[in-house]
Amino acid sequence: MADRGRRGYGILRAYMTDAYGEATGTELTRPDFVALAESFGVPAVLTTPDTLATDLAKSLATPGPSVVVLPALLRMFEPTHL
């Protein structure tokens, strides 16, 4: 399915496309959580599954707040009617 990597209201996009031939107002952009945290003076890191343990351990060992961001693709609403 072409929409697999897109971010937004996937289930609504699928229903609107099926019903009307196109979807509008279903795209979302995630904020840059690392930049957002850093804008408040909070240290942050963008991690991967391979570096998560190290980045999380470092974050927990540092006094004060910190943010560890692990991007994930939610596949909870995969089309079931196709």
Side-chain angles (χ1 to χ4, degrees), residues 26-54:
T26 60
E27 299 305 311
L28 297 175
T29 302
R30 293 182 184 166
D32 181 341
F33 291 108
V34 172
L36 183 61
E38 290 174 344
S39 75
F40 286 96
V42 176
V45 63
L46 180 65
T47 193
T48 66
D50 293 335
T51 60
L52 177 61
T54 302

Side-chain angles (χ1 to χ4, degrees), residues 9-76:
Y9 298 111
I11 195 149
L12 293 177
R13 183 184 314 113
Y15 286 131
M16 289 175 78
T17 301
D18 287 347
Y20 307 108
E22 67 178 328
T24 58
T26 60
E27 299 305 311
L28 297 175
T29 302
R30 293 182 184 166
D32 181 341
F33 291 108
V34 172
L36 183 61
E38 290 174 344
S39 75
F40 286 96
V42 176
V45 63
L46 180 65
T47 193
T48 66
D50 293 335
T51 60
L52 177 61
T54 302
D55 290 336
L56 191 56
K58 182 178 176 183
S59 175
L60 293 172
T62 304
S66 62
V67 173
V68 177
V69 179
L70 175 63
L73 178 61
L74 178 63
R75 294 191 177 157
M76 188 170 162

